[in-house]
Amino acid sequence: MKKIHLLLAAIFTCSMAFAQQPVYKNPSYSSQERINDLLARMTIEEKVGQLNQVNGGVLTGPSVANDPGAQGKVQLLKEGMVGSFLNVVGTEQTLATQKIAVEQTRLGIPLLFAFDVIHGYKTVFPIPLAEAASWDLEAAERATAIAAKEASAAGLHWTFAPMMDVSREPRWGRVMEGSGEDPYLQAKFAEARVKGFQGNLDENHVLATVKHFAAYGAAEAGKEYNTVDLSRYALWNYYLPPYKAAVEAGVATVMNSFNIMDGVPSSGSDFLVNQVLRDKWGFNGLVVSDWASFGEMINHGYSKDAKEAAIQSIMAGSDMDMESGVMRTTLAESVKNGEVPMAVLDEAVKRVLSLKFQLGLFDDPYKYHDAAKERRTLLAAEHLAEARKSAAASMTLLKNDQGLLPLQNPKSILVLGHLAESQEDVLDFWKGQGDHANTVTILEGLKAKYPASDITFIQAVNRDGIFDQNAVKQINKAAKKAEVVIATIGLFGDLAGEARSLGDISPSDGQMTMLHAAKATGKPVVVLVQAGRPMVLTEVVRDFGTILYTWIGGTQHGHGVADVLSGDVNPSAKTAMSFPAAVGQIPVYYNHYNTGRPHQDGNEGPAHFWVSRYRDIPNEPLFPFGYGLSYSTYEYSDLKLSKKSINQNESVTVTVNIKNTSQVDGTEIVQLYIRDLVAQPIRPVKELKDFTRVDIPAGQSRTVSFELPATKLSFYDENGNTLLQKGAFKVFVGKNSDDVLEADLELK
Ligand code: BGC
């Protein structure tokens, strides 16, 4: 009895305490009431402060001219002029910073802490492009959920991911962050990653950001930050669908891109933000600029000064200014003199505040800053186990001509190349808080996998790709006792990511010299290629029969490689980007249009002269989109459609028989494409519309079936209206975008 009285008394005291509090601090009111109450108490400057996001850690962009410096930032924070920090990480730092916001500012509005958790926080998963090669959406959801768990345990509320920029440009360093060249596959990963990061938005998850809106992946010639100039038709059909999928999956925030669209920088594009994102897709969440992108509208020649840039951004529907400071320094004045209506400012501020309420920060601002939880969460054993599975699942087998792989207990192995011993290069620029010291190298992975093998390592080629001439002798000597040579080539890890465009994406001369020295020993050679993008491997493919593309596998890279080489994991990954045969082909991608004079490689002679082709290099990529081998082999047969024709409200069942013709159990990624044969406007020669992963035991067959609704035959016109045109279609099912069976379908 006594206890109950005490409890009642406590509740009473508590509600008395709330009653004395302002409405915005009182959880018994709705978020809406609390936001309105708070807004009514804020000065114009404090409102603008909420739109100001400031870097508090390592630079992930150029330092800006009006940067207030560390002391200046603390001062701004105390004045209520910071709504969010990026790059402040870890419970200690975030807690100390949050305390200032909550305890030393006039209104005590908590901060949002944001960070680029792209493919892991401390436990680093394979780069997203590698993860996409697994076509495993559940695994992607699990990986992002783990990333979210670690990030939120380290004081973070918000990640700037997933990046959903479709790209056909392997010269562009940022292809590593996305899911490749196909809008459908990318959109599927958008859903999975948004779900994984956000979950139910409790304190084990983080707010996600779909970026970079829009079409940043179309930068001309793959040159970073370059001009984007494309048709609205391509924008709607290729570039926008993944962002839209993320919005439909409930992504909390959207980030502007650096590029222009129709001559207007995305950050100030009323068309992109107000018309498409907000009006057409109904997105009412926060839009954050990219690093200083509001201010960069001056460089673009779109804004005459900071004041105009801030006005153009907010009037276009963007809300938060990351790092450029143009809103902080000019927006209050523009609101006071009526150039920006108060209602527009209030809307933007409400979007920031509502995220803070949604996360419960007004009720418990310190709930993300528990150091003990941080310690037990980061690099937890189950996170590492999942990262290892994910690394192995992303390794893409490009060639295995003589069935050299898997390597079952080789007595002796000669390992070559700097990348085999490098902890640094299994992480990339967007490695989160991943430490090199925690990574597993290829050499370590091999030693752990084959404890009884005699493993010799010779660097031969250094990090810069330079071959050491003395290595030839060493290789020859060591090869004598080696059963097999494993040679590593590729690009070092930090060449993947932002501001890492490359004009040459071939292996270095030194790496090729090393490969040929290995081959000259007469021993079988396994080539491992490590890179954050498809490389041009024409010479390697011509001269070597065993090639595994390992991408950049993260913390557990070495174990992932060894799991696949040994056959403990049967590879099943298929590339989400075409591999060019020469840089001169780029962009080369599977879902291109037919021309008026199409050409297929292999067709020669006078009848094939006035056609769309190069005279010196092939038309086709070295490896097409969706390509990858396995230790199993599969035979596809009996492609059947349940109906020959369907109307707009119907769907057709597509079935295919797949036999695992090998002695090894495997998982096959089955891909369904369509082609709309005659359409106005024209349609691509193939479009991915569905896929599945199917486990097929050795020697057995499985019937795989897809439901293809007529709606999947639709596309967008240049204004974003959906078109569904009657007529003849092809339906293809196969191993990759090139190797398919086909059937006819009519839409009535
Ligand atoms: C990148 C964004 C990133 C931001 C913050 C920018 O330079 O383009 O993708 O989220 O920096 O680090």
Side-chain angles (χ1 to χ4, degrees):
M1 223 21 208
K2 202 169 174 204
K3 265 191 184 159
I4 291 175
H5 278 138
L6 278 178
L7 194 63
L8 285 177
I11 291 171
F12 182 69
T13 325
C14 233
S15 43
M16 285 291 287
F18 283 139
Q20 285 151 14
Q21 278 183 347
V23 168
Y24 77 94
K25 289 195 172 169
N26 187 338
S28 58
Y29 287 90
S30 71
S31 298
Q32 218 38 58
E33 289 166 319
R34 295 172 79 182
I35 290 172
N36 289 339
D37 174 69
L38 177 53
L39 215 53
R41 294 168 192 268
M42 293 169 82
T43 63
I44 293 180
E45 284 73 15
E46 282 165 337
K47 289 180 183 176
V48 171
Q50 287 303 304
L51 306 184
N52 187 30
Q53 186 179 57
V54 173
N55 178 50
V58 292
L59 291 176
T60 44
S63 58
V64 286
N66 59 6
D67 189 290
Q71 284 313 316
K73 285 176 188 174
V74 174
Q75 192 49 39
L76 285 173
L77 172 58
K78 289 184 178 164
E79 287 164 11
M81 288 304 293
V82 181
S84 168
F85 270 97
L86 77 151
N87 297 340
V88 176
V89 297
T91 50
E92 196 186 327
Q93 278 190 41
T94 50
L95 176 62
T97 317
Q98 190 70 298
K99 274 186 174 247
I100 301 180
V102 174
E103 293 165 25
Q104 296 184 42
T105 64
R106 191 177 77 87
L107 293 165
I109 303 174
L111 294 161
L112 286 174
F113 292 104
F115 186 54
D116 293 281
V117 182
I118 307 293
H119 53 114
Y121 178 75
K122 200 71 162 181
T123 304
V124 183
F125 283 77
I127 55 168
L129 182 61
E131 195 180 66
S134 73
W135 300 52
D136 190 340
L137 303 173
E138 285 166 16
E141 189 177 331
R142 286 197 302 274
T144 38
I146 288 172
K149 198 169 173 195
E150 292 196 353
S152 55
L156 295 166
H157 307 124
W158 182 8
T159 177
F160 297 134
M163 185 269 222
M164 283 295 145
D165 301 324
V166 170
S167 184
R168 302 153 169 178
E169 257 302 349
R171 288 173 294 184
W172 190 45
R174 301 200 78 166
V175 291
M176 54 128 322
E177 277 178 71
S179 303
E181 73 189 38
D182 181 72
Y184 181 81
L185 186 63
Q186 185 98 242
K188 287 289 168 193
F189 274 99
E191 286 163 27
R193 293 191 177 125
V194 168
K195 271 200 231 159
F197 279 130
Q198 294 193 166
N200 49 1
L201 267 189
D202 59 12
E203 53 267 38
N204 294 319
H205 290 87
V206 289
L207 303 163
T209 305
V210 68
K211 69 186 189 185
H212 306 82
F213 195 66
Y216 182 29
E220 278 178 359
K223 193 167 69 177
E224 186 66 291
Y225 315 126
N226 206 8
T227 301
V228 166
D229 198 359
L230 47 83
S231 69
R232 290 266 173 123
Y233 185 52
L235 179 75
W236 282 105
N237 285 289
Y238 286 122
Y239 293 96
L240 291 184
Y243 311 114
K244 180 168 186 270
V247 168
E248 284 167 359
V251 74
T253 75
V254 174
M255 185 185 287
N256 303 122
S257 57
F258 287 124
N259 56 279
I260 56 166
M261 180 64 215
D262 290 334
V264 180
S266 302
S267 302
S269 168
D270 183 74
F271 164 68
L272 283 176
V273 185
N274 274 336
Q275 294 175 40
V276 175
L277 183 63
R278 298 213 184 276
D279 296 347
K280 198 163 170 81
W281 296 350
F283 179 74
N284 195 29
L286 178 82
V287 176
V288 61
S289 79
D290 201 347
W291 181 287
S293 67
F294 289 170
E296 286 172 13
M297 294 203 295
I298 302 167
N299 288 348
H300 276 291
Y302 187 73
S303 318
K304 69 172 185 292
D305 54 20
K307 181 164 178 273
E308 191 173 51
I311 295 173
Q312 287 165 329
S313 311
I314 198 164
M315 293 308 290
S318 301
D319 302 308
M320 184 177 266
D321 179 357
M322 181 199 295
E323 267 298 280
S324 83
V326 298
M327 283 188 163
R328 170 174 61 79
T329 49
T330 69
L331 196 57
E333 187 199 329
S334 304
V335 174
K336 284 177 192 160
N337 68 22
E339 283 173 280
V340 171
M342 183 69 92
V344 172
L345 175 65
D346 283 353
E347 270 312 300
V349 177
K350 275 186 194 171
R351 292 188 192 113
V352 179
L353 295 178
S354 81
L355 290 179
K356 295 180 176 182
F357 277 106
Q358 220 177 320
L359 296 181
L361 297 181
F362 280 90
D363 304 326
D364 182 359
Y366 304 130
K367 67 185 197 181
Y368 289 79
H369 315 291
D370 173 347
K373 180 177 175 192
E374 180 181 28
R375 275 193 299 277
R376 62 174 186 270
T377 308
L378 304 190
L379 293 172
E382 65 271 21
H383 299 180
L384 293 173
E386 190 64 35
R388 178 174 181 161
K389 273 207 295 198
S390 175
S394 68
M395 308 270 153
T396 311
L397 185 63
L398 298 180
K399 281 185 91 179
N400 194 19
D401 288 354
Q402 313 302 326
L404 175 61
L405 297 179
L407 299 173
Q408 268 139 8
N409 296 315
K411 283 199 199 62
S412 54
I413 311 175
L414 170 59
V415 181
L416 301 178
H418 154 81
L419 289 167
E421 63 164 352
S422 170
Q423 287 191 307
E424 204 175 340
D425 295 305
V426 299
L427 303 181
D428 60 294
F429 170 65
W430 291 122
K431 61 180 186 296
Q433 283 293 292
D435 286 332
H436 299 143
N438 295 322
T439 61
V440 179
T441 65
I442 295 172
L443 210 47
E444 287 165 346
L446 290 172
K447 285 181 179 163
K449 183 62 70 180
Y450 303 115
S453 291
D454 176 4
I455 300 181
T456 309
F457 171 70
I458 300 173
Q459 193 193 58
V461 149
N462 68 14
R463 192 158 191 262
D464 297 322
I466 313 285
F467 184 71
D468 169 9
Q469 289 306 328
N470 300 322
V472 176
K473 255 198 194 149
Q474 297 165 17
I475 291 173
N476 287 338
K477 189 166 164 228
K480 288 208 173 86
K481 60 163 191 178
E483 222 170 83
V484 61
V485 182
I486 297 176
T488 58
I489 61 166
L491 296 167
F492 61 79
D494 195 48
L495 278 178
E498 184 175 352
R500 279 129 175 109
S501 292
L502 291 174
D504 180 0
I505 52 173
S506 313
S508 71
D509 291 349
Q511 291 177 341
M512 290 312 298
T513 309
M514 176 184 75
L515 289 188
H516 285 119
K519 192 171 184 184
T521 65
K523 293 294 163 90
V525 180
V526 178
V527 182
L528 301 181
V529 190
Q530 186 172 319
R533 64 182 95 209
M535 293 182 73
V536 172
L537 295 175
T538 305
E539 196 182 333
V540 184
V541 167
R542 185 193 63 204
D543 295 342
F544 294 85
T546 313
I547 306 171
L548 181 70
Y549 212 80
T550 67
W551 307 100
I552 295 179
T555 309
Q556 296 286 294
H557 183 88
H559 284 321
V561 168
D563 287 344
V564 170
L565 291 182
S566 64
D568 287 349
V569 172
N570 185 1
S572 59
K574 302 200 178 192
T575 177
M577 276 189 89
S578 305
F579 276 64
V583 169
Q585 288 184 324
I586 299 172
V588 60
Y589 51 95
Y590 87 96
N591 47 0
H592 58 82
Y593 301 117
N594 221 15
T595 65
R597 297 181 180 191
H599 170 75
Q600 268 203 327
D601 287 346
N603 291 338
E604 300 300 329
H608 302 283
F609 188 81
W610 305 105
V611 292
S612 176
R613 63 177 294 194
Y614 300 102
R615 303 241 71 94
D616 56 344
I617 56 172
N619 262 16
E620 304 302 324
L622 197 57
F623 297 108
F625 171 81
Y627 174 89
L629 302 175
S630 160
Y631 300 148
S632 308
T633 45
Y634 302 101
E635 226 172 69
Y636 283 57
S637 63
D638 295 326
L639 175 64
K640 287 193 188 115
L641 306 191
S642 60
K643 299 170 196 159
K644 279 197 158 52
S645 63
I646 52 172
N647 68 34
Q648 301 196 350
N649 306 314
E650 289 179 324
S651 75
V652 59
T653 309
V654 182
T655 53
V656 70
N657 189 58
I658 305 172
K659 180 164 190 200
N660 179 342
T661 50
S662 73
Q663 314 285 314
V664 197
D665 297 349
T667 302
E668 169 69 341
I669 298 166
V670 190
Q671 303 158 36
L672 183 148
Y673 299 86
I674 62 148
R675 177 170 180 185
D676 187 342
L677 290 169
V678 180
Q680 296 85 32
I682 58 162
R683 302 300 301 146
V685 296
K686 275 194 192 103
E687 296 175 75
L688 182 73
K689 289 295 170 183
D690 211 343
F691 61 87
T692 187
R693 290 167 49 87
V694 56
D695 297 333
I696 313 183
Q700 294 194 22
S701 296
R702 290 284 179 273
T703 301
V704 169
S705 92
F706 296 100
E707 233 13 66
L708 180 66
T711 45
K712 283 202 174 174
L713 308 178
S714 69
F715 57 101
Y716 295 104
D717 70 8
E718 77 278 16
N719 296 315
N721 302 312
T722 304
L723 301 177
L724 188 53
Q725 295 182 351
K726 295 178 182 168
F729 289 79
K730 287 273 181 209
V731 175
F732 310 94
V733 178
K735 300 175 177 177
N736 60 59
S737 59
D738 195 38
D739 187 352
V740 289
L741 301 175
E742 61 176 75
D744 295 310
L745 177 68
E746 193 204 346
L747 181 66
K748 291 184 286 193

